[in-house]
Amino acid sequence: MHPAPSVIIFTSLSGLGFGLLFWLGLGVLAPTGWVAFVFFVIAYLLAVGGLLASTFHLGHPERALKAFTQWRSSWLSREAWASVAALIVMALYGAGLVFFGTRIALLGWIGALLSIGTVLTTSMIYAQIRAVPRWHHWSTPAMFLSFSLAGGALLAGEIMIALPLLAIAGTIQVYTWIDGDSRLARSGTDIASATGLGTTGTVRAFEPPHTGTNYLLREFVHVIGRKHSRNLRVIALASGFGVPILLMLLPFSHMLAALAVLFHLAGLFASRWLFFAEAEHVVGLYYGKR
Amino acid sequence: MTQLPPPSSVKLGLVIDLDTCVGCHACVVSCKGWNTENYGAPLADEDPYGADPVGTFLNRVHSYEIQPDEGAAQLVHFPKSCLHCEDAPCVTVCPTGASYKRAEDGIVLVNESDCIGCGLCAWACPYGAREMDVAEKVMKKCTLCVDRIYNENLPEEDRVPACVRTCPAGARHFGDLGDPDSDVSQLVAERGGLDLMPEQGTKPVNKYLPPRPRDKAPEYDILAPYLEPVTDTPKGFVGWLDRALSALPGGE
């Protein structure tokens, strides 16, 4: 799949932002006044910034409001609802902390649930797609949720929560790579089933339908991004999880914590790049590619 | 509405005969022509006369080689367009309701004025039947020529999809696959018509007729067994030269 920068930025940043909102809503940290203001501004910049970035890849962003209509069947529509609901509820909750110094626990819990629910709907947009066997798996939501929770805890400065969650997220990450590499082969979809021609012999793509490229090849058969897969995996794992864990084991300082967040973010971008670039869409089989 | 309607009794679709298709791409051209000049946004072409032409097409013809365990390989031309699936994954993922399946005849369409161009429906389609138009920034797909098949302004013989009307080999058939007695259903039953990627669970309406096995020509040459096999070792001067050169260092 084509690793569109807008979607990589969106899923990474909004995942972090909603993760932070989750821990804020849960009351694990309940800052008030200016401190609360800074935490909420960071969370909203990430969550809303990510959502705005996601509209950049729309052909007609002026019609984006229509995306709220099909929540009965569409995970993308559900994501629209969940994100707006989470942002509104958490804004009210945040206003209580910032301006009145009071924590309305029930509002926080609802906001936390909606925040993490938004991350779930994002992940389901990918996990529902059967045509991409690497994504069509429980580990896709597990990865998005664990990343969001770990990154959110890291941003919140909750080291005792962030440490085990980063380790868990890193483990899930490694599992998605190892298991994901063979999912296309195990899916049962191959050039023989794609063409229905496999009964009498071995099928080979002889001639493509067009001499140049097309939308399908650009969007779904993006192979350039896979070239440095192994190196990027090492970078994603070390920078996203390894280094932040080491930095947090050192005596606490705001400098080190900020560094840990930056390393985590860089690793997150590398991981998300691979999530798209390495995903094989079965339409590639029609072109004898993957 | 992107929830799928209950299965319709009429299931309009195509039956494509891979035994007959000659790979001329006439269906591709007529499809592009009709759907650029008629319903919906025209199908864009980028850099059409330049070095890297790219365009939107709703129908494309691949060519595959089948290599059997024994004997010569077989070439199969393979037209591919929307299969108008019963469980169309492209419809349910659409957040705006632009992508829908008609309750009356099962045709899958895009309402272009509702499409936000997110591309998710093209991701969901395992067949590559949907292409984003670079100029209009909306999703384009086969309409089964919905503006031809019910069009009473056209002569009756033209009330079929453009690709079917134009196919010079008669490899494309249009009809109601929901009616077991229709010509297309009979053809599918007779020739063992099959679904593409059945394991994807999309239940495509369009069917493909596999190429029939090639005839084997019987051995008619009664003299051949009596003829001396042609020797491959040279004789005379050429034979001497061959032996002499082979004796040199590095010779075979």
Side-chain angles (χ1 to χ4, degrees):
Chain A
M1 305 289 286
H2 171 62
S6 61
V7 179
I8 292 174
I9 292 170
F10 152 60
T11 57
S12 307
L13 295 188
S14 72
L16 272 183
F18 283 113
L20 178 54
L21 285 178
F22 172 80
W23 296 114
L24 284 167
L26 219 54
V28 168
L29 68 168
T32 52
W34 278 108
V35 183
F37 182 75
V38 170
F39 268 115
F40 275 91
V41 165
I42 291 172
Y44 270 76
L45 280 179
L46 291 169
V48 179
L51 288 174
L52 281 180
S54 76
T55 59
F56 292 150
H57 82 288
L58 295 182
H60 285 277
E62 77 279 7
R63 301 175 188 159
L65 280 180
K66 289 178 193 276
F68 286 89
T69 60
Q70 304 301 316
W71 52 272
R72 284 181 214 83
S73 72
S74 168
W75 281 104
L76 185 51
S77 192
R78 288 170 196 162
E79 183 197 41
W81 276 107
S83 59
V84 168
L87 290 173
I88 291 173
V89 171
M90 287 305 288
L92 294 174
Y93 173 73
L97 288 174
V98 173
F99 301 113
F100 306 105
T102 48
R103 180 174 176 269
I104 310 159
L106 183 64
L107 210 56
W109 292 335
I110 295 171
L113 204 65
L114 286 168
S115 297
I116 206 65
T118 305
V119 179
L120 178 71
T121 55
T122 305
S123 70
M124 285 308 294
I125 292 170
Y126 305 106
Q128 71 178 335
I129 294 179
R130 201 167 177 173
V132 182
R134 191 186 280 271
W135 290 351
H136 189 59
H137 196 261
W138 62 263
S139 61
T140 299
M143 184 178 83
F144 274 71
L145 289 172
S146 65
F147 279 29
S148 172
L149 291 175
L154 189 62
L155 275 179
E158 294 296 323
I159 292 173
M160 293 324 286
I161 299 174
L163 271 177
L165 283 178
L166 280 169
I168 291 170
T171 311
I172 292 175
Q173 171 73 90
V174 172
Y175 172 76
T176 61
W177 287 332
I178 293 173
D179 190 63
D181 283 347
S182 62
R183 270 182 217 146
L184 177 65
R186 283 181 285 143
S187 71
T189 300
D190 53 20
I191 194 169
S193 81
T195 59
L197 297 173
T199 48
T200 51
T202 313
V203 186
R204 185 171 73 94
F206 184 77
E207 195 177 35
H210 38 95
T211 50
T213 186
N214 72 346
Y215 168 75
L216 300 174
L217 290 174
R218 286 193 295 215
E219 185 77 2
F220 302 119
V221 195
H222 189 93
V223 291
I224 307 159
R226 297 174 196 159
K227 204 174 138 195
H228 302 293
S229 154
R230 177 173 283 191
N231 288 343
L232 279 172
R233 284 183 179 187
V234 173
I235 291 171
L237 199 63
S239 174
F241 306 99
V243 175
I245 288 175
L246 286 178
L247 287 175
M248 279 188 299
L249 289 173
L250 297 172
F252 181 82
S253 84
H254 281 291
M255 201 54 211
L256 285 181
L259 210 57
V261 169
L262 286 179
F263 268 106
H264 178 70
L265 193 60
L268 196 55
F269 282 141
S271 159
R272 231 12 85 77
W273 167 276
L274 288 170
F275 179 73
F276 289 99
E278 289 195 294
E280 308 96 338
H281 194 288
V282 294
V283 75
L285 297 168
Y286 284 106
Y287 289 89
K289 296 176 176 171
R290 46 171 290 180
Chain B
M1 182 56 72
T2 56
Q3 280 174 298
L4 288 167
S8 57
S9 59
V10 177
K11 301 183 209 300
L12 296 184
L14 300 174
V15 172
I16 294 167
D17 190 342
L18 298 178
D19 203 44
T20 309
C21 176
V22 295
C24 70
H25 292 241
C27 54
V28 178
V29 177
S30 68
C31 167
K32 177 99 173 176
W34 179 265
N35 287 291
T36 292
E37 293 149 12
N38 294 283
Y39 166 83
L43 301 172
D45 279 314
E46 271 183 292
D47 195 18
Y49 305 106
D52 294 307
V54 178
T56 313
F57 286 80
L58 312 182
N59 178 31
R60 295 185 184 265
V61 180
H62 293 253
S63 296
Y64 296 101
E65 178 198 76
I66 312 173
Q67 177 64 61
D69 293 338
E70 276 178 31
Q74 191 181 353
L75 193 64
V76 177
H77 301 293
F78 189 94
K80 183 166 64 62
S81 53
C82 174
L83 308 174
H84 297 279
C85 302
E86 272 193 79
D87 278 346
C90 57
V91 168
T92 49
V93 298
C94 176
T96 68
S99 193
Y100 65 105
K101 186 171 176 68
R102 281 159 55 111
E104 60 270 39
D105 53 19
I107 299 179
V108 176
L109 289 177
V110 174
N111 178 353
E112 289 172 5
S113 59
D114 277 355
C115 176
I116 55 173
C118 69
L120 192 55
C121 55
W123 290 19
C125 172
Y127 307 106
R130 288 170 171 248
E131 298 190 15
M132 182 86 82
D133 192 89
V134 282
E136 296 292 331
K137 311 222 179 288
V138 293
M139 197 54 75
K140 300 295 295 185
K141 69 174 294 300
C142 162
T143 65
L144 210 60
C145 283
V146 69
D147 52 346
R148 284 176 71 101
I149 58 178
Y150 296 113
N151 191 338
E152 292 183 359
N153 295 317
L154 295 175
E156 202 170 344
E157 66 268 29
D158 284 338
R159 289 179 213 161
V160 291
C163 57
V164 175
R165 185 74 180 94
T166 209
C167 179
R172 304 177 69 96
H173 307 270
F174 165 71
D176 177 10
L177 287 141
D179 171 8
D181 298 323
S182 68
D183 288 350
V184 281
S185 295
Q186 299 275 321
L187 194 57
V188 169
E190 198 179 303
R191 293 276 306 281
L194 42 85
D195 291 347
L196 304 185
M197 295 185 185
E199 71 284 350
Q200 287 276 334
T202 54
K203 295 197 220 147
V205 169
N206 284 13
K207 304 285 181 226
Y208 282 77
L209 306 180
R212 283 174 278 214
R214 289 283 167 266
D215 296 336
K216 266 223 168 93
E219 189 73 58
Y220 285 124
D221 197 345
I222 47 173
L223 283 178
Y226 301 102
L227 289 171
E228 277 290 304
V230 179
T231 176
D232 57 356
T233 46
K235 287 186 176 132
F237 172 72
V238 178
W240 170 81
L241 198 63
D242 180 44
R243 286 193 300 280
L245 289 173
S246 300
L248 289 173
E252 288 178 15

